[in-house]
Amino acid sequence: MLKNKTIGSMLIVAGTTIGAGMLALPIASAGLGFTTALSLIIATWVLMTYTALLMLELHQHADRDATLNTLAKSWLGKRGQYVANFSVMFLFYALCAAYIAGGGAQLQEKINNTFNFDIAPQIGSIILAIVIGTVVTMGTSKVDKLNRVLFSIKIVVLASLFYMLTPYVHGQHLLEMPIEQGLILSAIPVIFTSFGFHGSIPSIVKYVGLDIKTLRRVMITGAALPLVIYIFWQLISQGMMSQAELLKSTGLPGFVASMANIANNSAVATAVNLFADLALATSFLGVSLGLFDFFADAFKKGDGSRDRIKTALITFIPPLGFALFYPQGFIMALGYAAIALVVLAVFLPVTMVYKQRNSNNNRKGYTVRGGNIGLMVAGLCGVLIISAQGLQMAGLIPAIG
């Protein structure tokens, strides 16, 4: 049973990580050259896996159902708790609103085309929110089962896409030097947000139990799956086009159209769109599950049916409302996603672990390697990511991807 949960938890981590944002990676890293882009992706994976293990170091000394709300209050006091709660709510509500708005429009289009209906986009958003909300309310085991099915289909679609595109990869494109080193700063926030799964860690701890050895395997393997897929995706996308051609791509639609033209195969665009739909669904499941358990902890709701329905309403009604009546507000908020994720996935774990290790009641147990030097390096990486995002917002460096 535990082995079954371990595999499912790995796929929840991977499914939450591999969102539709993966498709933007080649555009975001255009002009860097394959080697530089690969180095950034691997460095980001190391950082995010390290901070995920820091979260496990904290969880071993807390209750099984503790979330960032409880952990922050324990180690950082009320102020830390407020910062943690704001970061989680800001980031996850923005993501959920974006998933509901974008996924709802896609669902509405598919329903209209399949059944020859003429329903409004808002109906698609409501249907999507109800379906995902129902699965999440039923519990992590149901999320696990649905996520396995969706993730398996996603892998088949990706494998098909790789099979169609691999013959068009040219080695000389992968050996091209960076066009402009300054583009590294533009790529950092997009690559960083492509490894965001930390919000689902408390849900996985609650699901698997406080078995640190198993949880370590879940985090490392679950984060390694996206790394491998991202590397293959970069190999194909950057191997098919030169750096100059990638830079000329007019956003994601232009990039997908260019790949379909090079392969002379309309099935490429179909596969990419299907992957985007599946990626949105698995990411939505992981993010909303993390937000659901966060609110259950924050409002001290139990696992009874009535309490879970109340928690579901708190989780899904606000983002659904924004997606229906003011979608641009929360879509714009995604521009700050990297900053909120740095606070959530880097600054808070680093600060809490530092406090825990240096406290008078420090208890022995699992300790992530690297000591205070590792914590300092992770913190500096967080500062670099926020600085890059700030420079983009100020218009001092291009915002690509």
Side-chain angles (χ1 to χ4, degrees):
M1 182 67 178
L2 181 60
K3 185 178 180 181
N4 198 32
K5 285 186 176 182
T6 302
I7 295 170
S9 297
M10 289 174 184
L11 295 182
I12 289 175
V13 169
T16 305
T17 307
I18 306 172
M22 165 188 153
L23 300 173
L25 282 177
I27 306 167
S29 56
L32 296 183
F34 175 72
T35 305
T36 306
L38 182 63
S39 301
L40 272 179
I41 288 171
I42 292 174
T44 306
W45 171 75
V46 171
L47 170 66
M48 296 298 264
T49 305
Y50 172 75
T51 57
L53 296 178
L54 290 180
M55 289 298 296
L56 297 186
E57 185 175 330
L58 291 164
H59 272 285
Q60 71 181 327
H61 302 304
D63 293 334
R64 177 173 174 165
D65 57 353
T67 66
L68 201 56
N69 170 69
T70 305
L71 295 173
K73 185 179 179 181
S74 299
W75 296 111
L76 304 177
K78 282 286 186 182
R79 288 184 181 179
Q81 184 186 25
Y82 293 148
V83 171
N85 290 357
F86 177 78
S87 299
V88 170
M89 290 174 63
F90 176 86
L91 178 63
F92 282 15
Y93 268 158
L95 287 172
C96 287
Y99 292 146
I100 290 170
Q106 292 172 13
L107 182 60
Q108 170 254 358
E109 185 180 337
K110 286 175 174 57
I111 291 173
N112 285 349
N113 292 338
T114 304
F115 300 103
N116 199 24
F117 288 167
D118 188 21
I119 64 171
Q122 290 85 347
I123 302 299
S125 296
I126 292 170
I127 293 171
L128 180 64
I130 290 173
V131 170
I132 298 294
T134 301
V135 175
V136 170
T137 305
M138 290 169 70
T140 306
S141 62
K142 295 295 185 291
V143 173
D144 178 6
K145 288 171 184 172
L146 178 58
N147 183 71
R148 288 187 197 210
V149 174
L150 296 175
F151 192 86
S152 299
I153 299 171
K154 188 160 69 173
I155 293 300
V156 171
V157 172
L158 268 179
S160 304
L161 195 57
F162 291 164
Y163 176 78
M164 287 187 282
L165 298 178
T166 300
Y168 303 96
V169 172
H170 299 285
Q172 68 265 28
H173 292 330
L174 298 174
L175 298 174
E176 288 179 2
M177 296 297 290
I179 291 176
E180 188 182 335
Q181 293 288 355
L183 291 173
I184 291 176
L185 286 176
S186 298
I188 284 174
V190 178
I191 293 173
F192 173 71
T193 51
S194 297
F195 280 96
F197 62 89
H198 293 58
S200 61
I201 292 176
S203 299
I204 290 168
V205 171
K206 182 180 178 181
Y207 185 46
V208 173
L210 289 168
D211 181 344
I212 297 299
K213 186 177 180 181
T214 301
L215 288 169
R216 279 186 78 251
R217 197 180 310 131
V218 167
M219 297 305 152
I220 294 170
T221 308
L225 276 171
L227 174 67
V228 172
I229 290 171
Y230 289 171
I231 291 173
F232 274 108
W233 179 236
Q234 290 293 116
L235 267 169
I236 287 174
S237 57
Q238 291 194 292
M240 287 181 68
M241 286 178 262
S242 67
Q243 297 298 304
E245 288 172 326
L246 276 171
L247 280 170
K248 288 177 184 174
S249 295
T250 53
L252 183 57
F255 169 64
V256 173
S258 297
M259 286 199 303
N261 288 336
I262 292 170
N264 194 26
N265 190 344
S266 60
V268 169
T270 303
V272 169
N273 289 328
L274 179 57
F275 169 80
D277 292 343
L278 292 165
L280 184 147
T282 55
S283 288
F284 190 9
L285 276 170
V287 167
S288 56
L289 175 65
L291 186 60
F292 182 96
D293 284 336
F294 169 81
F295 280 132
D297 177 43
F299 294 109
K300 306 302 177 190
K301 296 295 182 184
D303 272 335
S305 298
R306 185 173 294 180
D307 275 352
R308 291 190 71 83
I309 290 171
K310 288 178 182 176
T311 306
L313 293 175
I314 300 168
T315 303
F316 291 98
I317 292 296
L320 176 60
F322 274 98
L324 293 177
F325 302 109
Y326 186 50
Q328 291 307 312
F330 265 62
I331 302 299
M332 286 165 58
L334 288 175
Y336 299 88
I339 294 175
L341 186 58
V342 169
V343 174
L344 176 72
V346 180
F347 289 157
L348 285 171
V350 165
T351 308
M352 288 190 292
V353 166
Y354 178 80
K355 293 273 286 186
Q356 190 272 134
R357 288 179 183 175
N358 291 278
S359 65
N360 293 328
N361 59 347
N362 182 19
R363 288 166 284 181
K364 298 297 180 184
Y366 169 65
T367 303
V368 184
R369 293 180 182 179
N372 287 338
I373 293 176
L375 297 179
M376 184 176 69
V377 171
L380 289 173
C381 289
V383 172
L384 174 63
I385 296 162
I386 283 185
S387 300
Q389 183 78 64
L391 289 171
Q392 280 189 10
M393 290 175 178
L396 299 175
I397 59 173
I400 50 179

